[in-house]
Amino acid sequence: MMDTILGTINGVDFTIGETILELSYLLSAIFFVVGLKLLSHPESARKGNFYAAGGMLLAMITTILLHKNESGQAIGLANIGIITATIAAGGLVGSVIARKVKMTAMPQLVSFFNATGGAASALVALLEYPNADPSNTGSMLVTILGLIIGSIAFSGSMIAYGKLDGKVGDLTAGYMKYINLLFLILVTVTGTWLVVSNTPVEEMQWAIYSLFALTLVYGILFVMPIGGADMPVVISLLNSFTGIAAAMAGFIYNNQAMILGGILVGAAGSILTILMVRAMNRSLVNVLVGAFGGGGASADQVQGIIKEISVSDASILLSYSQSVVIVPGYGLAVAQAQHVCHELDNLLEGKGVQVRYAIHPVAGRMPGHMNVLLAEADVPYDKLVEMEDINPDMPNTDVVIVIGANDVVNPAADDDPSSPIYGMPIIRTHEAKNIIVMKRGMGKGYAGIENFLFFNDKTRMLFGNAKDSIQKLVTEIKTL
Amino acid sequence: MEDILIYFFTYKEAIFIIALSIFLGIEVISNVPAVLHTPLMSGANAISGVIIIGGIILVGHADVSQLSIELILGILAVFFGTLNVIGGFVVTDRMLEMFKKKKKK
C-alpha cells in the first residue's frame, strides 16, 4: 500500500510512503520549533523538551520504515536490525550517563553530548563524500563544510569537556595564536581545494581523510587557549556549530527536517553566544583569540591593605543584618559548597534576614551555570536575582558575601579605563555597606588582574576553602 | 559561479528554509531568562542530534553483507547521534525537573 503511486512531479513518480515520510518531517520540524519556543519559558520548558523529543522520535521511526534511496529501494530488514540495535545501545548508554552523572558535572555533560553530535555530523559528511558529484560545487561545499564544522565541534567539545572536568589545563602561550592561524589556513586551503578541484572522488580519498584529521587537530587547538570565564562563550559557540553541521548534512539528503532543526539550533546557539560575549563587554574575536591577561599599567599599582575577618565576627555581622546578598562564582562550584550555602541562607532567613543571590550572566563555566548549581541545592529560584535587578539595591544591602567570584565583582570594570575588563557589566558589590569575600588565597581571577574590591575599606576577607568557611559560619551562627 | 546559481535553483526550497529558520531561531529564543540558559542550550543540543536521520539513511542503504570500514563508521555515526539525542533530552528533562520541584515549594 505504501508503494502505491500517487502522482508524478517532473516525470518522477511519488508514492504514498514517500508522501507520508515528507509529512512526518514537516510535523517533526513543527515540533522542534514549538518545543524550542516552550523551552524558553520556565512554566512550559519541560513540555517543550518533550515536544522536541517527540518530533525527533517521529522522524527517526518514519525514516527507518519509509525511506527509499534514489533507485527506489527501501531500507533492508538486516539494515533495520543493525540500526535498531545501534539505537538501542546508544539510547541505553546515553540515558544511563544522563541519569547517573552528578548534577554538578552538568557543564561537562552538556559538552560531551555536544561532541557526540559533532562526531555524527562529521562521520556522515565523510561517508557521503564518495557519493558527491565533484562537478557540483554546491553539493561539494555543503559536504566539506559539514565535515569541517562537525569535526571542530567534536574535538573542540571534547577538549571543553576535559577542561570542565579538570582533566585538561589551559594552554595560554602567546604562540598558540600563530599555530591556530596556521591550522585555520591549512583547513581552509584543503577544504577549498576539495570543493573546487573537480577531481573524481576516488582520487581525493586521501585528501578528505587529511582534511578530517586537520580539522580534528584544529578543533583541539582552537579550544586549548580558551578557559575560565570564557568557557560559557565557547560552549554555546560549539553548540551552534553542531547545529550548523547537522543542517549541512540536511542539504546532502535534501531533508527539510534536518535543515530546519540544525539551523534553529545554530541560530539559538549564536544568540546565546552573543549574550555571553555582551555580558563581558567583549567581542567574539577577542574571546577566541584570547586577548585577556596582561593588564593595564595601573592594574598593578593598587595600593591598600587587605583586612581579614574572623568567623565569629562574620557570623555576628550576618546575624544582625537586614539584607544579605550572596554573589556566587565558579569557586562555589569547585568547592561543591552549594548545599551548605543554602543551609546558611535558610539559617539567616530564620533570623529574619532577607537573603538573595545575585547572578552574573557569565558566572561559572556555562551559560546559566549558577542557576543549575543552586537549583540542585534546592534554592528556590525566585531568590536568584539577575545582575540588572539587584544592582539598584546594592547601596541598601547590609552585607554582600562574595563566594568564589572575582572578575564579575571587580570595580575596575567601572572606573579604570586601562583595565582589560573596563566596561564589563559587574555586580556592584562595592556599593554595599559591608563586603565579605570568601577566597582560597590571594590569587588573581581568570583575567589575571588585581581586584580593587579586595582593597576596599568596607571589604573583609575570609580565607579558606569556601565549603569549610561556610560550614564554620553555619556552626557559629547556630550558637548565637 | 554558474555552478552556484544552478545549485541555488536546484535547492531553492532548502535555501529558503535556511534563511527563514535563522530568523525563526532568533525570534523563538530571544528574551529567554538566564535561569533557562543551561536547559535551553542542552535541549537545543539534543535537537542538533537530528543528524541521526542522516546516519539512519546511511546505514539503511549500506551493504551489510560484509563488514566494511564505511559500515563501521556509519554505525558509529548512528551510535553517536543516538547518544546526542537521548542523552540530551534526558539530561534536559532532569534539569527542568529540578527547577520545577523548587517552584512548587
Side-chain angles (χ1 to χ4, degrees):
Chain A
M1 183 252 198
M2 287 296 167
D3 292 328
T4 312
I5 292 167
L6 274 182
T8 310
I9 293 178
N10 298 334
V12 182
D13 295 336
F14 60 96
T15 61
I16 291 186
E18 283 166 303
T19 313
I20 293 178
L21 181 60
E22 292 302 325
L23 267 172
S24 78
Y25 286 154
L26 173 65
L27 214 57
S28 300
I30 293 172
F31 272 120
F32 290 160
V33 176
V34 175
L36 208 52
K37 177 78 194 163
L38 294 177
L39 254 174
S40 57
H41 296 283
E43 304 77 37
S44 57
R46 214 170 163 200
K47 201 162 60 174
N49 190 46
F50 273 118
Y51 279 25
M56 191 69 74
L57 187 68
L58 175 71
M60 283 163 70
I61 293 173
T62 52
T63 306
I64 294 175
L65 295 179
L66 298 169
H67 191 271
K68 289 192 169 150
N69 63 7
E70 274 138 27
S71 43
Q73 269 177 317
I75 296 181
L77 270 182
N79 302 54
I80 292 184
I82 293 177
I83 293 170
T84 331
T86 312
I87 292 178
L92 187 71
V93 175
S95 52
V96 167
I97 297 178
R99 292 231 168 268
K100 293 280 174 235
V101 168
K102 275 208 254 158
M103 237 32 220
T104 43
M106 203 46 67
Q108 292 91 301
L109 199 58
V110 172
S111 273
F112 173 74
F113 286 136
N114 194 48
T116 59
S121 294
L123 286 173
V124 167
L126 188 69
L127 295 172
E128 279 300 332
Y129 175 77
N131 306 327
D133 172 10
S135 64
N136 186 338
T137 316
S139 84
M140 293 306 276
L141 183 68
V142 290
T143 312
I144 300 300
L145 275 180
L147 178 73
I148 294 178
I149 301 172
S151 10
I152 293 178
F154 166 62
S155 59
S157 299
M158 283 315 282
I159 294 297
Y161 160 80
K163 285 189 175 203
L164 293 166
D165 214 36
K167 288 177 185 134
V168 181
D170 295 344
L171 188 64
T172 47
Y175 59 79
M176 281 302 290
K177 232 183 275 187
Y178 306 105
I179 296 181
N180 275 346
L181 193 64
L182 177 74
F183 267 86
L184 185 61
I185 293 171
L186 278 174
V187 166
T188 318
V189 170
T190 321
T192 316
W193 182 55
L194 271 158
V195 172
V196 299
S197 70
N198 202 358
T199 317
V201 284
E202 299 79 43
E203 292 169 30
M204 297 295 266
Q205 282 292 353
W206 64 273
I208 193 85
Y209 280 94
S210 313
L211 180 65
F212 186 39
L214 272 178
T215 41
L216 286 179
V217 176
Y218 177 66
I220 296 173
L221 296 174
F222 159 71
V223 181
M224 273 321 279
I226 310 170
D230 288 340
M231 284 317 273
V233 179
V234 180
I235 289 178
S236 49
L237 184 71
L238 290 169
N239 198 36
S240 93
F241 275 11
T242 318
I244 297 169
M248 289 301 134
F251 254 104
I252 301 177
Y253 298 110
N254 199 14
N255 182 311
Q256 275 77 5
M258 284 173 78
I259 298 178
L260 184 124
I263 293 292
L264 266 187
V265 178
S270 308
I271 292 280
L272 209 50
T273 310
I274 293 167
L275 275 178
M276 295 299 118
V277 170
R278 227 181 256 159
M280 296 196 293
N281 191 40
R282 294 169 65 197
S283 73
L284 185 57
V285 177
N286 185 285
V287 173
L288 299 184
V289 179
F292 245 171
S298 67
D300 296 320
Q301 296 166 359
V302 186
Q303 295 293 320
I305 317 153
I306 296 278
K307 294 162 292 278
E308 285 193 52
I309 191 169
S310 67
V311 170
S312 54
D313 286 349
S315 308
I316 292 167
L317 183 62
L318 287 170
S319 301
Y320 296 100
S321 308
Q322 288 188 325
S323 145
V324 168
V325 169
I326 299 175
V327 183
Y330 186 54
L332 183 81
V334 173
Q336 296 285 303
Q338 68 275 21
H339 292 280
V340 59
C341 188
H342 183 42
E343 205 183 331
L344 174 69
D345 100 52
N346 271 340
L347 201 59
L348 290 174
E349 294 241 302
K351 289 182 181 283
V353 184
Q354 183 201 29
V355 183
R356 287 173 299 171
Y357 291 82
I359 311 292
H360 192 280
V362 293
R365 291 296 180 264
M366 70 174 168
H369 191 178
M370 292 300 122
N371 298 88
V372 182
L373 189 72
L374 292 168
E376 196 239 347
D378 282 338
V379 177
Y381 72 53
D382 51 13
K383 274 196 185 182
L384 312 183
V385 188
E386 291 185 31
M387 177 172 65
E388 308 85 72
D389 301 325
I390 198 104
N391 272 343
D393 284 355
M394 275 300 166
N396 305 320
T397 303
D398 295 316
V399 188
V400 163
I401 317 175
V402 178
I403 308 174
N406 194 340
D407 296 329
V408 297
V409 293
N410 191 345
D414 261 4
D415 49 26
D416 179 10
S418 69
S419 170
I421 60 166
Y422 181 68
M424 167 173 153
I426 53 161
I427 297 174
R428 308 178 62 82
T429 50
H430 54 286
E431 290 177 354
K433 292 174 193 154
N434 294 284
I435 304 130
I436 297 176
V437 176
M438 290 191 189
K439 235 176 153 304
R440 262 193 293 195
M442 264 318 287
K444 295 170 182 173
Y446 168 68
I449 45 177
E450 288 291 1
N451 194 333
F452 291 8
L453 184 72
F454 304 160
F455 301 93
N456 191 306
D457 278 341
K458 296 181 291 185
T459 304
R460 297 290 179 272
M461 308 295 285
L462 189 56
F463 288 116
N465 171 287
K467 195 174 180 178
D468 298 341
S469 298
I470 302 172
Q471 191 61 61
K472 281 181 202 154
L473 276 178
V474 167
T475 319
E476 188 75 24
I477 291 173
K478 276 184 185 159
T479 64
L480 284 177
Chain B
M1 187 60 206
E2 204 179 306
D3 286 346
I4 303 281
L5 288 178
I6 295 170
Y7 189 78
F8 169 73
F9 193 79
T10 323
Y11 291 93
K12 55 185 182 310
E13 288 89 356
I15 293 166
F16 268 96
I17 291 178
I18 290 224
L20 296 176
S21 339
I22 293 174
F23 289 102
L24 193 62
I26 292 171
E27 206 50 47
V28 160
I29 73 133
S30 51
N31 301 321
V32 52
V35 200
L36 287 175
H37 279 165
T38 302
L40 183 84
M41 191 173 70
S42 166
N45 184 3
I47 294 179
S48 68
V50 72
I51 183 66
I52 188 162
I53 303 297
I56 292 174
I57 295 175
L58 204 62
V59 177
H61 300 292
D63 176 12
V64 290
S65 57
Q66 53 184 12
L67 205 60
S68 60
I69 303 232
E70 284 78 15
L71 183 61
I72 296 173
L73 291 180
I75 291 174
L76 215 54
V78 175
F79 181 75
F80 281 142
T82 319
L83 270 187
N84 190 194
V85 170
I86 310 274
F89 284 126
V90 171
V91 89
T92 310
D93 189 59
R94 210 177 132 198
M95 254 184 257
L96 291 168
E97 190 181 36
M98 213 168 64
F99 284 132
K100 199 136 212 164
K101 194 176 67 196
K102 243 89 312 134
K103 228 204 140 195
K104 280 182 191 149
K105 262 188 195 172

